[in-house]
């Protein structure tokens, strides 16, 4: 059975059983979307990485040996003077004390509880800043000592002493998303209270735990703001373009019902809701609108031709069933190929959106016709002005198609060359806009205190207790010195600095004694004495493993691009291979390292995914059009907008992030829809009406042109709403998609007809050219149609 015949049979069944159709549609939607009640938001940035990711596995191995990296940093800046003024010291001390009370806090490090080592008659004494108000002399002495501590400066104290930090290490059970939310909420409350008590200070909060909370905050904000805004914008645009309030209402009901199963799938399959996957309902609603628009416009043409409402609905379903089936199929393929992405949330987005697209197809040909049949609609038909506009465009294309082809070729080459200059870059701080507090607070910390982009090295020794071997300490110190000499480095925390300080103190601060110990036994005793003197909760377990066979060296770097970070990482690892024993050879790891690795790998995997998507979509087009020639030709107007999109992105931004690497595949599945509708109507004009290429192009312009413009405008407005997302990945996707959809509309209304006029010029054999008469499309004003 042909798809047109299947559509006709379905249309008649819906007309006959309209009430049953509505009831079954509502029940099926309820069943599919019920899973949404089980969906939960994610508060772990690790969800962006596959469990098989080697960089993530390396990072988790390091965390098993040393302290977890989940942390909160409270940043204190003196508006006047420096942080060694009494008010600032008091605030830091209070924040340090109160931070121990934060949920899941396991360690707190700050300027006021930093372990300062002194020598009291040959015994190590570890001191903190004394409690209570300090005299001017004490504050001056504390400032001098602190600025001389390499473990403090650049990490918990700025070079100019105007800003200090309180670092809170969390030990999260990771059993519930409420853990991070609870810690973040308590932190914000603590910061707000400190601001009120100390108006002379600037107090902010950052850290990896707050970044995790920012992911959930962005997801909730998008779902509570973007989705409702999308509904409002979509209804307004449809009402203006369709000029039918009830038609707009019917389509809106369908698209909302289509988006509900997308969320339901997340609950049924256990997908965590993240900013990318939370955008699925918005994308589904945007895409589902096109089905309803095509159906209503086709229904208007049939009514204007004198058919009854029931006949017009059956005719609209018959005419649109085949192209909408293939547009839904190709769009679903485009999204499903996101499963090639290295980042699981994009696979979740793919499957959720594909589910919504499938639901939209089913409801568009069942629920929507049933509603249109029952509602007293005013159905629009093409105005004379619109028809004349497309006829003039057709006439221009017939005269200037070679010029259009030449211009398209030149633009494609120019923008294609620009696209080749794109460089991969992902920085997780930039994932959020300024409406999410994590972004401005973290940028404040990076500007005035320290960075969040770190690299950790687990440096092994020859065996148990090997970290006190002078040879190990010498190589460790040499590596730390090398790192400090690199222009990208802001701070280095090395165990060798601890040992140098102990050696100096136990040699009565003698000149030249600030160096690593030269005797292993003495070094072991120094370390033992030091550990016994440390207060509870401030031991060295975050720097030294239990067997004392390896240490953790942490480097804080500038805000580097993915390429710059990769270059620095390779340079540091090469130094180890060239200058250190084999036991110390290691690879750097940290959240920024795994994000950078994800960006590179995702770009490579999505190049393959886009290629697979293109092959599958092309095969669908060949099958849909029953023509190898038209199927191959249809690839051109779909590839050109993607090339133009990446070229424009390169000119505007110069770099590609993870979302841009998946945007091409997403857009390919979307923009192919207009091509299918255009070529389906063109083929119908050629085969059923026996028209030649020029007449067929003219008829196609008039019959499908208005619908393409309307659907493209709705898509542009829909993805325009997505640009307002607080999550940069989603807003970038919206911006990229808007450009590509706009370019695709031009390609389908200019490049595609030009290609047809150039390549499909042979006359139709069935009739002589001068015997053909172009079928006139009926034109009639809007009219009210009651159910019947």
């Amino acid at each position: 059975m042909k798809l047109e015949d299947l559509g006709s049979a379905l249309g008649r069944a819906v007309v006959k059983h309209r009430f049953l159709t509505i009831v079954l549609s509502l029940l099926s939607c309820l069943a599919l979307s019920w899973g949404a009640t089980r969906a939960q938001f994610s508060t772990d940035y690790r969800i962006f990485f596959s469990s098989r990711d080697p960089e993530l596995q390396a990072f988790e191995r390091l965390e098993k040996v040393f302290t977890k990296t989940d942390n909160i940093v409270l940043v204190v800046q003196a508006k006047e003077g420096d942080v060694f003024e009494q008010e600032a010291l008091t605030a830091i001390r209070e924040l340090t004390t109160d931070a121990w009370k934060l949920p899941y806090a396991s360690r707190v490090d700050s300027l006021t509880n930093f372990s300062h080592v002194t020598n009291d008659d040959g015994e190590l004494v570890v001191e903190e800043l004394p409690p209570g108000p300090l005299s001017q002399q004490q504050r001056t002495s504390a400032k001098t000592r602190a600025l001389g501590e390499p473990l403090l400066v650049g990490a918990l104290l700025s070079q100019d002493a105007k800003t200090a930090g309180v670092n809170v290490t969390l030990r999260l059970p990771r059993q519930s998303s409420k853990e991070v939310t609870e810690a973040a909420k308590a932190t914000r409350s603590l910061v707000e209270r400190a601001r009120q008590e100390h108006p002379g200070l600037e107090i902010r909060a950052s850290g990896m735990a707050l970044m995790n909370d920012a992911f959930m905050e962005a997801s909730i904000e998008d779902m509570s703001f973007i989705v409702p805004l999308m509904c409002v914008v979509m209804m307004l645009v449809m009402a203006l373009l369709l000029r039918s309030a009830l038609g707009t209402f019917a389509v809106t009901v369908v698209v909302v019902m289509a988006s509900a199963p997308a969320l339901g799938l997340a609950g049924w399959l256990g997908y965590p809701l993240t900013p990318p996957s939370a955008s699925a309902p918005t994308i589904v609603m945007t895409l589902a609108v096109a089905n309803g628009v095509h159906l209503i416009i086709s229904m208007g043409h049939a009514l204007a031709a004198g058919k009854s409402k029931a006949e017009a609905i059956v005719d609209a379903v018959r005419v649109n069933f085949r192209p909408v089936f293939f547009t839904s199929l190709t769009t679903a393929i485009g999204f499903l190929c996101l499963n090639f992405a290295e980042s699981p949330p994009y696979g979740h987005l793919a499957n959720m959106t594909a589910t919504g697209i499938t639901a939209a197809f089913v409801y568009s040909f069942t629920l929507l016709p049933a509603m249109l049949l029952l509602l007293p609609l005013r159905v629009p038909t093409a105005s004379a002005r619109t028809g004349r506009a497309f006829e003039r465009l057709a006439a221009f294309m017939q005269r200037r198609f070679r010029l259009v082809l030449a211009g398209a070729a030149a633009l494609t080459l120019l923008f294609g060359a620009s696209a080749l200059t794109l460089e991969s870059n992902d920085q997780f701080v930039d994932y959020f806009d300024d409406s999410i507090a994590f972004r401005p607070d973290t940028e404040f910390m990076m500007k005035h205190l320290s960075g969040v982009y770190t690299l950790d090295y687990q440096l092994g020794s020859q065996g148990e207790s090997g970290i006190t071997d002078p040879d190990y300490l010498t190589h460790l110190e040499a590596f730390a010195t090398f790192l400090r000499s690199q222009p990208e480095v802001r701070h280095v925390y090395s165990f060798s600095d601890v040992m140098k300080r102990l050696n100096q103190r136990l040699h009565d601060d003698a000149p030249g004694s600030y160096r690593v110990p030269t005797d292993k036994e003495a070094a072991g005793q120094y370390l033992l004495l030091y550990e016994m003197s440390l207060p509870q909760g401030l031991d060295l377990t975050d720097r030294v493993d239990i067997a004392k066979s390896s240490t953790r060296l942490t480097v804080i770097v500038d805000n580097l691009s993915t390429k710059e970070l990769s270059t620095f990482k390779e340079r540091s690892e090469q130094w180890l291979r060239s200058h250190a024993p084999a036991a110390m050879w290691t690879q750097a790891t940290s959240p920024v390292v795994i994000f950078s690795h994800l960006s590179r790998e995702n770009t490579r995997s999505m190049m393959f995914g886009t290629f697979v998507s293109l092959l599958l979509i092309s095969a669908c087009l060949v099958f849909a059009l029953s023509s190898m020639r038209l199927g191959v030709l249809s690839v051109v107007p779909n590839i050109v907008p993607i090339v133009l999109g990446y070229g424009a992105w390169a000119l505007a931004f110069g770099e590609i992030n993870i979302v841009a690497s998946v945007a091409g595949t997403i857009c390919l599945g979307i923009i192919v829809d207009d091509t299918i509708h255009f070529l389906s109507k063109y083929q119908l004009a050629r085969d059923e009406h026996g028209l030649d290429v020029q007449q067929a192009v003219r008829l196609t312009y008039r019959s499908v042109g208005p619908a393409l413009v309307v659907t493209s405008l709705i898509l542009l407005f829909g993805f325009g709403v997505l640009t307002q997302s607080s999550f940069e990945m989603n807003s970038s996707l919206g911006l990229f998609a808007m450009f590509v959809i706009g370019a695709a509309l031009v390609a389908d209304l200019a490049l595609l007809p030009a290609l047809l006029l150039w390549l499909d010029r042979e006359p139709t054999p069935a009739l002589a050219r001068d015997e053909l008469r172009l079928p006139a499309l009926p034109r009639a004003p809007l009219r009210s149609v009651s159910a019947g």
Side-chain angles (χ1 to χ4, degrees), residues 266-307:
W268 290 124
L269 298 185
Y271 291 164
L273 291 180
T274 57
S277 62
S279 67
T282 306
I283 296 175
V284 169
M285 285 194 292
T286 301
L287 299 176
V289 169
N291 297 349
V293 170
H294 282 288
L295 204 70
I296 289 178
I297 290 179
S298 295
M299 180 181 172
H301 289 319
L303 288 169
K307 295 185 178 181

Side-chain angles (χ1 to χ4, degrees), residues 337-361:
C337 284
L338 289 180
N339 282 289
F340 286 103
E342 294 291 326
S343 183
Y346 285 98
H348 303 161
L349 170 65
N351 300 332
M352 291 168 66
T353 306
T355 299
I357 291 168
T358 303
F361 170 76

Side-chain angles (χ1 to χ4, degrees), residues 11-33:
R12 290 193 298 271
V14 169
V15 168
K16 183 178 180 180
H17 305 289
R18 62 198 74 170
F19 292 106
L20 178 61
T21 299
I22 293 175
V23 171
L24 291 177
S25 297
L26 292 174
L27 290 176
S28 64
C29 179
L30 180 62
L32 291 170
S33 59

Side-chain angles (χ1 to χ4, degrees), residues 570-633:
E570 177 56 34
R571 191 192 317 146
S572 65
E573 293 168 359
Q574 181 59 48
W575 189 97
L576 284 173
R577 291 191 293 269
S578 300
H579 298 88
M584 297 184 73
W585 295 357
T586 188
Q587 291 185 332
T589 183
S590 68
V592 68
V593 170
I594 53 180
F595 269 108
S596 297
H597 177 263
L598 173 66
S599 179
R600 295 192 304 272
E601 292 302 311
N602 205 74
T603 299
R604 282 195 286 266
S605 63
M606 286 315 303
M607 287 178 64
F608 178 72
T610 302
F611 177 72
V612 172
S613 176
L614 179 62
L615 286 181
L616 293 174
I617 289 174
S618 299
C620 288
L621 289 171
V622 170
F623 183 78
L625 300 170
S626 302
S627 170
M628 177 65 72
R629 179 169 49 84
L630 291 180
V632 173
L633 182 145

Side-chain angles (χ1 to χ4, degrees), residues 17 71 73 105 124 170 183 193 195 223 226 232-233 236 261 316 386 401 465 484 513 603 620 676 745 760 776 778:
H17 305 289
N71 74 318
V73 181
L124 285 178
L170 304 180
R193 185 171 67 250
R195 286 173 177 169
M223 293 195 70
I226 298 296
V232 172
V233 170
L236 290 176
T386 302
F401 69 87
S465 300
R484 291 188 177 108
S513 62
T603 299
C620 288
I676 292 176
L745 177 62
D760 206 22

Side-chain angles (χ1 to χ4, degrees), residues 1-12 313-326 361 365 623-626 676-677 679-681 683-685 687-688:
M1 178 183 290
K2 292 182 178 181
L3 287 175
E4 289 81 359
D5 296 335
L6 181 60
S8 181
L10 178 61
R12 290 193 298 271
I313 288 175
V314 173
D315 188 66
V317 172
R318 181 187 68 83
V319 170
N320 287 282
F321 191 83
R322 179 177 177 178
V324 172
F325 171 80
F326 282 106
F361 170 76
F365 289 103
F623 183 78
L625 300 170
S626 302
I676 292 176
H677 281 286
L679 288 176
S680 295
K681 298 298 190 296
Q683 194 175 44
L684 193 67
D687 295 342
E688 292 194 6

